[in-house]
Amino acid sequence: MKEEKGGSGYIGLCTVGGVLSAGTAHVVVTPLDVLKVNMQVNPVKYYSISSCLTTLLREQGPSVLWRGWATKCIGYGMQGGCRFGLYEYFKKLYSNVLADSNRSLVFFASSASAEVIANVVLCPFEAIKVRVQAQPTFGKGLRDGFPKLYASESVYGFYRGLVPLWGRNLPFSMVMFSTFEHTVDFLYSSVLNKGKEDCSKARQLSVTCIAGYTAGAVGSLISNPADNIVTTMYNKKADTIRLAVKKIGLVNLFTRSLSIRIILVGPVVTLQWFFYDCIKVMNGLPTSGDISCNRELETTL
């Protein structure tokens, strides 16, 4: 049954779609995430993608590349549900409240509001994931990592990285959603010169993938410094954000692990949007992204 866009059923479907798409996408790219985390924590030992890969395989075996997959599946799945579901909720809310405002302002406010809540949910899982991936003796995954972290650091251990996590994911989410929305608008209005309803489902999903990769690549550039800080603090290389910045160095803050992060984030975001919109399409809904000139296109056609 087709849900009304913005209604509770629609937002609920978007939440479920966010859980499934984000959880699946993050599990698929777990090996890349393992490389990224280790390059951030031990930049001298793992000075390149190839050196990191060969060293990890030689020292710990192929299974090391899948460390933390369950934590990623659950944690990022829950974050994805909040991120996508609440984004749709807040977009409807702010579109009504900020009716005469610039569309970008609505996208920024909606994604930021959703991400604040989504990161509170994600933070405990991220704390375990980073330790499991970068500290071979810490634990094998969520089952043994959770009680070990609680025993050693109590509740604080799960949320010690919340502020830098917000610092990483808030700008990323704001840029990612806004870039996605504007890219979809541009592709339909300036490249295809058609409304969404005049394109096949396959073409709509192709637009989703292009917009998704663009959004992920741009977002990773903006959020890379905070990502380095999060990893450094979770692995006890620094106790405060100030010390983390000092330890990493200003230039390294922006450049360390940037290449692997772009390689990682682009496909992750693309897969998330693709799976998310596939779920929408299978339930009789249009793909994501608003088209500002849709009404003019309809009139012309």
Side-chain angles (χ1 to χ4, degrees):
M1 185 176 67
K2 202 169 183 177
E3 298 287 355
E4 178 187 355
K5 189 172 182 179
S8 58
Y10 173 79
I11 293 172
L13 180 62
C14 289
T15 301
V16 173
V19 170
L20 297 176
S21 63
T24 303
H26 277 279
V27 168
V28 169
V29 297
T30 296
L32 291 175
D33 191 41
V34 171
L35 296 179
K36 178 197 71 111
V37 168
N38 280 276
M39 288 174 68
Q40 290 174 329
V41 175
N42 297 299
V44 176
K45 183 177 182 180
Y46 306 118
Y47 54 88
S48 69
I49 297 174
S50 59
S51 71
C52 184
L53 177 61
T54 55
T55 303
L56 286 174
L57 289 175
R58 184 178 65 252
E59 294 181 351
Q60 301 180 48
S63 63
V64 68
L65 297 178
W66 294 98
R67 277 183 171 270
W69 71 269
T71 308
K72 284 170 63 67
C73 182
I74 298 172
Y76 280 95
M78 294 173 66
Q79 182 208 31
C82 294
R83 173 182 279 176
F84 285 96
L86 290 176
Y87 174 73
E88 295 292 346
Y89 169 78
F90 284 118
K91 187 167 74 168
K92 180 185 178 183
L93 176 65
Y94 294 143
S95 294
N96 294 329
V97 175
L98 306 172
D100 299 324
S101 299
N102 184 280
R103 293 173 71 231
S104 294
L105 179 60
V106 174
F107 300 150
F108 284 148
S110 303
S111 55
S113 299
E115 198 66 25
V116 167
I117 299 170
N119 279 253
V120 174
V121 175
L122 170 66
C123 200
F125 298 94
E126 182 76 356
I128 298 169
K129 178 196 77 82
V130 171
R131 286 171 172 82
V132 166
Q133 291 179 338
Q135 301 173 26
T137 59
F138 178 79
K140 295 181 179 180
L142 187 62
R143 183 183 299 178
D144 55 348
F146 190 94
K148 188 171 184 177
L149 180 58
Y150 181 77
S152 61
E153 299 184 45
S154 190
V155 176
Y156 172 72
F158 295 105
Y159 287 97
R160 67 182 294 151
L162 180 59
V163 173
L165 194 64
W166 276 331
R168 180 188 76 184
N169 288 347
L170 275 172
F172 171 81
S173 186
M174 293 167 70
V175 171
M176 187 268 287
F177 274 102
S178 182
T179 301
F180 179 86
E181 295 271 11
H182 286 299
T183 303
V184 168
D185 189 5
F186 171 76
L187 290 173
Y188 280 112
S189 61
S190 301
V191 178
L192 297 175
N193 293 313
K194 291 181 179 181
K196 190 181 293 186
E197 68 283 351
D198 298 312
C199 296
S200 65
K201 297 301 181 184
R203 178 165 288 188
Q204 290 182 40
L205 290 172
S206 297
V207 169
T208 293
C209 290
I210 295 171
Y213 192 88
T214 303
V218 175
S220 64
L221 291 172
I222 299 297
S223 60
N224 195 61
D227 188 55
N228 279 304
I229 293 173
V230 169
T231 304
T232 299
M233 291 185 66
Y234 273 141
N235 281 280
K236 296 185 177 180
K237 301 288 185 178
D239 292 326
T240 65
I241 296 175
R242 183 178 179 182
L243 289 175
V245 172
K246 184 177 180 180
K247 184 175 180 64
I248 297 168
L250 190 59
V251 175
N252 287 333
L253 196 66
F254 289 88
T255 60
R256 180 178 293 174
S257 72
L258 180 59
S259 57
I260 185 66
R261 191 152 190 269
I262 292 176
I263 294 172
L264 167 68
V265 175
V268 167
V269 174
T270 304
L271 285 173
Q272 282 189 54
W273 280 110
F274 177 71
F275 292 151
Y276 179 66
D277 274 357
C278 281
I279 293 171
K280 278 187 168 183
V281 168
M282 287 188 293
N283 284 273
L285 295 171
T287 53
S288 301
D290 293 333
I291 305 175
S292 60
C293 58
N294 197 36
R295 186 170 297 175
E296 288 83 357
L297 284 171
E298 288 179 351
T299 303
T300 304
L301 294 172

